[in-house]
């Protein structure tokens, strides 16, 4: 498609957008003196206007029923998570029984690694990406130490080559093959939070399995962004948070995926809690743990219903929009934004070269673009904020922006370009 960096063109694109009406379903921040361009849905998604209603229903049920709301509420709290599983499963390409919404992301990563990182004999090592999200680094490191092993030896990071920004997939695959029967686990962010690089999860899973390792993904930046097929790809486990592309409230509940070939093994070691106990006999409160079959067997606690309600509000919107349409718009809108940034960079080459470090290939990225603003510092970002652009700054000079297909518009992309250019000047 031939793009144009004009207001008219961006409005024509919005006119043709089958998802255009979804923008009105979200609250846009209004604290700023200007109308904002919100490009941080990869950090905290916007609030759906329906969220309040979903939460209010549960507050009302609590007021009306007290503890009896566990069974008498319209959506009984005892099984509240069940209202979310199928909708969340569609987003990540899984069977309903393979998914549960519970806890928070880092907690879930730990719980899954307790089950799926089982160093034994010479098979002790974990492969992860260098510069993983800090919480993942800490989680991985502490898991290795938990088994009495040294992270310097047993945690292998695959880094970009000298002078490059992105990790070459071939380097991940060859490291997996090279580590071979010493490799216990591959645990990688499906989309790197910093560069926006999307890894080929199917291929990594295949190669990981070919050497006998377990393969799991952190999908914090992928869920609700990338078209995922976790079941088909044979991924062993995954976790993601609900508050980035999934718009489910600050610190909101997380999702867990356990492939069905593991999910039905009650003997699989895990850290247990009562909500993971077989629901038919849970309240007999018997000693000895008998887990639910499916991903639900990894739940520890009864669900935080208010946070779950916020997640359900958003999942209902995703279901209506459909990941297929979301993915189609994501690719076109991100490419449009890329075109605008390139054009501005070319025009202002003297003052500021804008280097997009996110892959140019749409098959290797989602909605995020990470831009290095050469020759510019935080002043550029501050000037953008002044104009109403809510983006993300990483020292020393990286701007991360993510047009979220559900609520961002092509006009947002155009306006971003205008502000960027005036900020540079
Ligand atoms: C956002 C993010 C987290 C945050 O973890 P919480 O437990 O939700 O605070 C962890 N890992 C990655 C890769 C993330 O992008």
């Amino acid at each position: 498609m031939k793009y144009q960096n004009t207001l008219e063109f961006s409005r024509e694109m919005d006119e043709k957008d089958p998802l255009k009406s979804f923008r009105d379903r979200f609250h846009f921040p209004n604290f700023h003196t200007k109308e904002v361009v919100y490009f941080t849905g990869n950090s905290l998604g916007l609030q759906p206007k329906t969220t309040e209603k979903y939460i209010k229903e549960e507050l009302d049920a609590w007021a009306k029923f007290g503890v009896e709301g566990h069974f008498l509420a319209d959506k009984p709290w005892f099984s509240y998570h069940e209202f979310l599983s199928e909708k969340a499963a569609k987003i990540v390409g899984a069977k309903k029984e393979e998914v549960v919404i519970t806890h928070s992301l880092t907690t879930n990563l730990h719980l899954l690694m307790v089950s799926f990182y089982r160093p034994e004999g010479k098979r002790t090592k974990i492969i992860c990406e260098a510069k993983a999200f800090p919480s993942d680094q800490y989680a991985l490191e502490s898991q290795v130490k938990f088994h009495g092993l040294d992270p310097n030896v047993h945690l292998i990071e695959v880094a970009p080559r000298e002078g490059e920004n992105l990790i070459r997939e071939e380097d991940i695959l060859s490291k997996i093959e090279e580590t071979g029967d010493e490799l216990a686990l591959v645990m990688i962010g499906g989309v790197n939070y910093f560069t926006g690089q999307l890894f080929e999860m199917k291929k990594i899973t295949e190669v990981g399995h070919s050497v006998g390792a377990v393969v799991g993904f952190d999908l914090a930046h992928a869920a609700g962004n990338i078209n995922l097929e976790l079941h088909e790809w044979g991924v062993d486990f995954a976790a993601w948070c609900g508050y980035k592309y999934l718009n489910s409230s600050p610190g909101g509940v997380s999702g867990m995926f356990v492939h069905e070939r593991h999910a039905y093994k009650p003997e699989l070691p895990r850290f247990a809690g009562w909500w993971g106990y077989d629901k038919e006999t849970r309240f007999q409160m018997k000693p000895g743990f008998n887990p639910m079959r499916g991903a639900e067997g990894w739940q520890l606690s009864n669900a935080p219903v208010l946070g779950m309600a916020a997640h359900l509000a958003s999942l209902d919107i995703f279901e209506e929009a459909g990941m297929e349409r979301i993915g189609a718009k994501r690719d076109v809108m991100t490419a449009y934004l890329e075109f605008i940034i390139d054009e501005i960079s070319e025009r202002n080459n003297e003052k500021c070269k804008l280097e997009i470090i996110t892959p140019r290939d749409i098959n290797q990225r989602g909605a995020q673009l990470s831009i290095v603003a050469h020759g510019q510092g935080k002043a550029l970002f501050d000037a953008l904020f002044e104009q109403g652009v809510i983006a993300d700054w990483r020292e020393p000079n990286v701007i991360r922006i993510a047009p979220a297909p559900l609520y961002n518009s092509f006009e947002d992309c155009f306006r971003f370009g205008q502000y960027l250019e005036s900020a540079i000047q």
Side-chain angles (χ1 to χ4, degrees):
M1 192 184 305
K2 188 94 183 67
Y3 295 128
Q4 293 167 33
N5 184 10
T6 64
L7 181 61
E8 298 75 63
F9 181 83
S10 69
R11 287 186 171 164
E12 273 169 37
M13 292 297 285
D14 284 332
E15 217 31 64
K16 284 188 282 194
D17 169 16
L19 297 178
K20 67 175 177 236
S21 66
F22 283 85
R23 182 177 175 89
D24 284 338
R25 309 233 201 142
F26 290 84
H27 290 292
F28 278 75
N30 61 4
F31 68 97
H32 205 285
T33 50
K34 304 257 171 63
E35 192 188 325
V36 302
V37 173
Y38 195 83
F39 274 171
T40 37
N42 57 338
S43 186
L44 180 67
L46 290 180
Q47 182 186 146
K49 289 178 180 165
T50 46
T51 303
E52 189 175 348
K53 174 171 116 357
Y54 282 66
I55 293 179
K56 178 87 170 29
E57 268 174 30
E58 302 318 318
L59 288 173
D60 290 347
W62 180 21
K64 183 170 175 190
F65 298 114
V67 69
E68 302 303 333
H70 280 97
F71 298 98
L72 298 181
D74 277 348
K75 299 191 186 78
W77 306 329
F78 173 76
S79 44
Y80 197 91
H81 62 276
E82 292 173 17
F83 297 107
L84 289 80
S85 305
E86 188 164 5
K87 297 172 200 280
K90 272 192 209 156
I91 292 175
V92 296
K95 297 189 177 179
K96 171 168 135 248
E97 297 77 14
E98 293 173 317
V99 167
V100 67
I101 302 300
T102 183
H103 320 130
S104 60
L105 172 56
T106 308
T107 308
N108 284 341
L109 286 175
H110 274 300
L111 292 172
L112 289 164
M113 282 195 276
V114 159
S115 294
F116 294 108
Y117 175 53
R118 311 276 309 150
E120 220 187 296
K122 64 193 279 206
R123 200 179 277 286
T124 56
K125 296 190 171 149
I126 302 180
I127 286 180
C128 65
E129 86 263 43
K131 290 210 198 137
F133 192 87
S135 199
D136 298 41
Q137 291 178 33
Y138 309 144
L140 287 162
E141 193 183 305
S142 59
Q143 284 284 332
V144 171
K145 286 184 177 168
F146 177 72
H147 290 280
L149 300 171
D150 178 0
N152 292 317
V153 179
H154 299 274
L155 191 56
I156 302 172
E157 292 188 347
V158 183
R161 294 186 190 180
E162 189 68 32
E164 298 184 3
N165 292 305
L166 302 172
I167 301 174
R168 295 199 197 185
E169 206 136 72
E170 63 197 86
D171 290 352
I172 297 178
L173 301 179
S174 63
K175 186 55 83 180
I176 292 173
E177 281 170 344
E178 184 190 314
T179 312
D181 61 1
E182 294 182 6
L183 185 62
L185 172 67
V186 181
M187 227 296 287
I188 288 184
V191 174
N192 181 270
Y193 83 101
F194 189 75
T195 61
Q197 179 178 14
L198 164 64
F199 294 106
E200 209 189 320
M201 289 176 251
K202 179 169 186 257
K203 185 85 194 156
I204 291 173
T205 304
E206 272 168 24
V207 175
H209 287 170
S210 75
V211 303
V214 174
V215 181
F217 293 98
D218 181 332
L219 301 176
H221 281 264
N225 175 25
I226 304 299
N227 302 81
L228 299 163
E229 290 294 343
L230 296 182
H231 177 82
E232 279 302 307
W233 298 341
V235 171
D236 293 292
F237 70 89
W240 57 93
C241 54
Y243 53 81
K244 290 174 179 167
Y245 292 96
L246 292 176
N247 315 318
S248 299
S249 82
V253 286
S254 158
M256 259 183 182
F257 165 85
V258 180
H259 198 280
E260 69 178 354
R261 70 177 168 272
H262 305 298
Y264 292 87
K265 287 185 190 156
E267 70 282 7
L268 210 65
R270 67 191 85 192
F271 285 173
W274 73 325
W275 232 251
Y277 195 95
D278 172 42
K279 73 176 174 185
E280 304 305 329
T281 53
R282 185 175 304 154
F283 288 108
Q284 293 174 12
M285 308 276 194
K286 287 194 184 139
F289 185 68
N290 175 28
M292 288 286 295
R293 304 307 191 256
E296 291 185 12
W298 273 263
Q299 296 175 103
L300 298 181
S301 304
N302 72 106
V305 167
L306 301 183
M308 301 285 274
H311 196 23
L312 185 55
S314 177
L315 290 176
D316 279 342
I317 294 176
F318 269 84
E319 188 157 79
E320 213 182 309
M323 274 312 293
E324 207 154 300
R325 291 198 295 174
I326 290 171
K329 179 173 173 188
R330 171 202 64 219
D331 286 342
V332 178
M333 194 164 57
T334 310
Y336 182 54
L337 187 59
E338 179 183 35
F339 165 83
I340 289 172
I341 292 165
D342 284 343
E343 198 188 89
I344 290 167
S345 178
E346 208 159 289
R347 264 210 299 270
N348 297 274
N349 227 333
E350 307 275 279
K351 280 200 183 103
C352 174
K353 181 170 174 299
L354 300 162
E355 181 194 359
I356 296 175
I357 60 171
T358 305
R360 294 286 182 171
D361 174 4
I362 60 168
N363 297 310
Q364 293 178 54
R365 70 180 187 204
Q368 177 181 322
L369 294 176
S370 300
I371 310 163
V372 178
H374 291 283
Q376 296 275 339
K378 179 100 188 318
L380 175 72
F381 183 77
D382 292 342
L384 276 174
F385 183 81
E386 235 3 70
Q387 311 251 27
V389 175
I390 315 291
D392 178 79
W393 175 260
R394 297 280 143 160
E395 293 295 341
N397 58 354
V398 173
I399 300 171
R400 294 188 310 164
I401 47 176
L406 267 180
Y407 51 74
N408 282 121
S409 64
F410 289 84
E411 187 175 333
D412 284 340
C413 300
F414 169 77
R415 286 171 57 214
F416 173 81
Q418 296 291 297
Y419 297 152
L420 180 62
E421 188 150 29
S422 73
I424 289 171
Q425 288 164 353

